[in-house]
Amino acid sequence: MDQFIYPVNDYGPIMPGILMGGVAIVHVFLAQFAVGGGILLCYFHWLAMTGRNPHARLFVQGYFRWLVLISFVLGALTGVGIWFTAIQVSAPTIGEMVRNFHWIWAAEWTFFCLEIFAGYMFYRYHKVLDDGTNMKLLILYAGAAWASLFLINGIISWQLTPGVWVETRDVWDGIFNPTFWPSLFFRTIVACTLAALVACVVINTMTPLSRKARHTLIGRATHLLVPMLAMPFLGVWFLWAMPDDSRAWILGGSPAMTLFMNIAVVASLAIGGYAIVGLFFQKLYINGATASLLVLLAFGATAGGEFVREGSRKPYSVRALMFSNGILPSEVARLREVGCLEDDPYPLRGADQMPSDQVRTGAKVYRRQCAVCHTVSGINGLTELTGHWSNDQMRMNIAKLQQTKAFMPPFAGTAEELEALVQFLNWADGQPVDESEQEAALVRIQQWMDEAGTESILFQTGK
Amino acid sequence: MPFPLNYPWPSAFYLVLYVATFVLHHVAMHYVVAGCLVVALRALLPRSISLGSGTERVIDHIRGWLPFSLGAAITFGVAPLLFVQILYPNHFYTANLLLSWRWMIVVPVLIISFYLLYLLKSEMYLRFSPWLRATIALGTAGMFLFVGFCWTANHLLSNQPGAWPEVYLTGDLPLSPLVVTARTLIWLGASLVTLATIVVWQLRWSIKGAGEGENPVNLFLPRMLALAGLGVLAVATAAYLVAVPAEERALLASGSGLLYVAVIIIASLAMAGLWFLLTKGIVAPLMSLVLVTTAMSLAWLALGMLREQVRVAAIDFEALLPQHAEMAKIQGLWLFLLLAVINGALIAWCFWLVRKGLQAGPAAASGDRADQSRHTPPAEA
């Protein structure tokens, strides 16, 4: 497999993953809204054409305008933004995904095209077309949107649970992996939920209608919240299908993962509880402020869920196939022999500010192996994480990195490169560069690396 | 065999797919860029100056279709973005990374320009002063030109692997201003031609769809746009040939390069002749329009192929052939082809449904809405 070395950019105190995460969360939220919006519009158009609600037609017109202005613009462009930022974070990962699933992505593209044509045709001409034609356009739009969710869900879930694809390399084993189905159903319900909550906001803007009329529309919109009842079961299914280590992290093993998991769960419970008990059964009226708050809660739940989904893959970007830093598990042993900088053609920025060749080597090692998930000093900053360690603790913890933290990959370089990384981190932290006893230190480093081995702790313990 | 058929079938297949979808993306993008420029030029003219009702209708029509065209351009652009990552992953990703913020800024710029297109389309826009209208339209066009520059920079940088370490260190891009300008003008010239062709198809379709009694649409503006575009294309191409290195000129003047250059010249001459012959009238003769569209498509496809031929010659393309062969073994091609046909047919069906609906007229729509008697009135009403 290609192990091309890519240039690495420095984002200062910002982790590149944060940049991608921000774009991805917005995109997922808007894309799922678009999918659910299509389903909701089909329902409301049916209400209008069958005479079940005299205001449904007005709602459809207004809601679709929001869909076009928000989802067709921001949703589409943040989707492109994910691709661009994913390249910044880990070009090898996105390359691997494209390599293995490019026909699935190409198939998804055909649905994007159908979605945009059906959607815009409806948007532009619905006032002059008959109900039957409008319904056909809406069904095509909603169907295409959901089909694109179906396909991308396969690729995204494959990253966490590639399943038997690791052996078979069959694209269908990859798509229909262990977390595909719970994830698909869960996302479909989330899509309906988001659409219904946004509908409540839109309905409140329809001021020409009486409160009673708006209440009837809200009542209809909340029908799409009922499937939330299935979310706990789907969540349990997803947790069961996850790898043991990933599950352990989000259920207490990792404070950050557990926190975001709790945010997602609590926000979802709050929305679900209010929606089902208050809106569906008690038929409460929901004003614009409350509806907006629920939409914000839903955004928080989406953000927490996506953070958990991404973070629980650690130390891999594709489980068992590629570590987060783009290094392949099969390459670690070789890189410990030849070094991780062998094929790195890129000079070091700011090299003249560094006091020695060793520190410069350490900076390059950091760039090659650590920069994708860490900063030097900032979010997830290494100087903060290691600042209280002695030199020997740093050497051992990095040499046995996969044992130091189970969600870290093994160190993939020579003992000299590891020592250089230690000295670089000392220098970056304003500590003196300690060149004493380095010969003895290199021996200890090599011994520790040999003890830890070249595999992730997850596979050493058979998880 | 002509390029890309001189390469093994996996690489040739991916190249053909890439160029075809790249041209599709550009056709939609041409509409947006040229459309913004047309709207901007109209805004610069005082309101008191009338260009004739027919031409004013055409400009108004273009204004109304700009947001959809950008949506289509972005959607169509997903496919070439995918295929370029299959064909040249290392080069494309490295260029992305080297450009960093100068590349990623494309996304927020497109978001802003997308909303500006909706503003351009709105009734509110028409109430602005001429200077504000011109500023908005020119600013929007400028944003698209900037995005185009970013893509050009990405493309040119990806073709210069030898320069990457230095670019990484200094941030200075090894771009020739003359080459970039010439490429931009080639793009703008092509944009005007594409806009003119699509607009005539749209007006023909909407007039037919609207039934009889519609005011005739003047083809003066589309014809002028097309001829102006061909003129800009010719001059820009000449400038480009002067600006590029001798090796690239030699490539274009021999073998496949010469074949594609010949296609472009013949197609351009055919377009020029056909646009001269297209008479003012209600609807352009169908055969002329088909021939113009065919010539335009062949010209842009040939331009796309030349672009790739130059790129392939600039990099170590042979080293990528094994990767393409491996990727070609990945399953799913049948799914893509099947869905391309099905979804393509469904898109065509959408057009047919809308056309049929427009021909039926507003009476059909209001008839459905008036017919509430089939169902029990809802309790909530």
Side-chain angles (χ1 to χ4, degrees), chain B residues 18-264:
Chain B
Y18 171 63
V19 171
T21 53
F22 178 76
V23 168
L24 182 64
H25 159 68
H26 262 265
V27 161
M29 199 62 219
H30 287 176
Y31 194 104
V32 179
V33 173
C36 278
L37 288 173
V38 166
V39 171
L41 286 171
R42 179 62 191 98
L44 283 170
L45 294 175
R47 276 201 183 99
S48 55
I49 296 179
S50 172
L51 301 176
S53 63
T55 300
E56 295 286 359
R57 276 190 64 196
V58 171
I59 295 174
D60 215 47
H61 167 92
I62 291 170
R63 201 167 55 84
W65 279 97
L66 288 176
F68 168 75
S69 303
L70 181 59
I74 292 165
T75 302
F76 291 157
V78 170
L81 182 61
L82 174 68
F83 291 122
V84 80
Q85 293 176 72
I86 296 167
L87 283 163
Y88 320 103
N90 303 343
H91 303 79
F92 180 70
Y93 294 147
T94 301
N96 273 239
L97 285 158
L98 290 173
L99 287 169
S100 185
W101 291 110
R102 290 180 286 187
W103 173 242
M104 291 190 287
I105 199 168
V106 158
V107 173
V109 167
L110 280 173
I111 290 172
I112 294 169
S113 55
F114 210 146
Y115 285 118
L116 284 175
L117 288 182
Y118 277 108
L119 181 61
L120 273 177
K121 186 189 168 189
S122 68
E123 292 297 320
M124 184 166 57
Y125 171 78
L126 294 174
R127 294 194 290 271
F128 291 156
S129 67
W131 286 112
L132 184 56
R133 282 187 287 130
T135 303
I136 292 170
L138 276 173
T140 310
M143 286 185 187
F144 292 123
L145 285 173
F146 171 73
V147 171
F149 164 72
C150 291
W151 275 104
T152 301
N154 189 309
H155 173 80
L156 293 175
L157 183 56
S158 71
N159 296 349
Q160 301 179 65
W164 292 344
E166 186 63 22
V167 172
Y168 180 76
L169 191 62
T170 64
D172 297 333
L173 299 178
L175 303 176
S176 157
L178 193 52
V179 167
V180 171
T181 304
R183 292 178 79 101
T184 304
L185 287 172
I186 288 173
W187 176 48
L188 283 176
S191 298
L192 294 172
V193 175
T194 308
L195 173 69
T197 310
I198 295 177
V199 161
V200 175
W201 275 110
Q202 284 179 311
L203 295 173
R204 190 174 195 282
W205 185 79
S206 63
I207 286 170
K208 289 285 194 188
E212 297 180 6
E214 283 292 312
N215 291 327
V217 176
N218 198 304
L219 293 179
F220 172 77
L221 180 63
R223 192 164 77 238
M224 288 299 109
L225 287 174
L227 293 173
L230 288 168
V232 169
L233 190 60
V235 170
T237 304
Y240 180 79
L241 289 173
V242 166
V244 294
E247 308 87 65
E248 191 172 327
R249 268 198 299 278
L251 181 73
L252 298 174
S254 59
S256 298
L258 192 58
L259 169 69
Y260 290 122
V261 167
V263 167
I264 294 167

Side-chain angles (χ1 to χ4, degrees), chain A residues 44 53 55 200 203-204 206 209-223 278-287, chain B residues 380:
Chain A
F44 269 79
N53 188 301
H55 312 294
C200 294
I203 290 165
N204 272 279
M206 296 168 67
L209 295 181
S210 67
R211 180 183 161 114
K212 187 179 174 190
R214 280 182 268 141
H215 198 177
T216 64
L217 289 172
I218 287 171
R220 290 293 189 175
T222 56
H223 289 176
L279 296 179
F280 185 73
F281 286 109
Q282 295 186 355
K283 303 209 185 315
L284 297 175
Y285 180 79
I286 177 173
N287 62 23
Chain B
E380 61 257 38

Side-chain angles (χ1 to χ4, degrees), chain A residues 71-185:
Chain A
S71 203
F72 278 33
V73 179
L74 280 177
L77 284 165
T78 49
V80 175
I82 289 178
W83 226 324
F84 289 1
T85 50
I87 291 169
Q88 299 292 322
V89 172
S90 181
T93 301
I94 198 75
E96 200 54 36
M97 293 167 78
V98 167
R99 193 196 315 268
N100 288 296
F101 296 102
H102 55 277
W103 293 126
I104 305 300
W105 249 312
E108 190 191 6
W109 172 71
T110 67
F111 284 112
F112 288 154
C113 295
L114 176 59
E115 205 178 323
I116 198 169
F117 275 93
Y120 264 109
M121 291 268 178
F122 176 85
Y123 178 59
R124 198 173 176 98
Y125 296 110
H126 67 275
K127 289 184 181 173
V128 297
L129 295 174
D130 61 273
D131 281 338
T133 302
N134 281 330
M135 190 54 140
K136 290 182 181 99
L137 291 173
L138 283 173
I139 289 173
L140 284 174
Y141 166 75
W146 187 82
S148 71
L149 169 68
F150 183 97
L151 293 173
I152 192 65
N153 175 65
I155 300 172
I156 301 293
S157 56
W158 163 83
Q159 284 187 275
L160 176 63
T161 54
V164 300
W165 175 92
V166 178
E167 282 91 37
T168 66
R169 300 298 164 120
D170 184 296
V171 77
W172 306 114
D173 287 336
I175 291 292
F176 297 112
N177 62 77
T179 53
F180 172 81
W181 291 111
S183 179
L184 176 70
F185 296 138

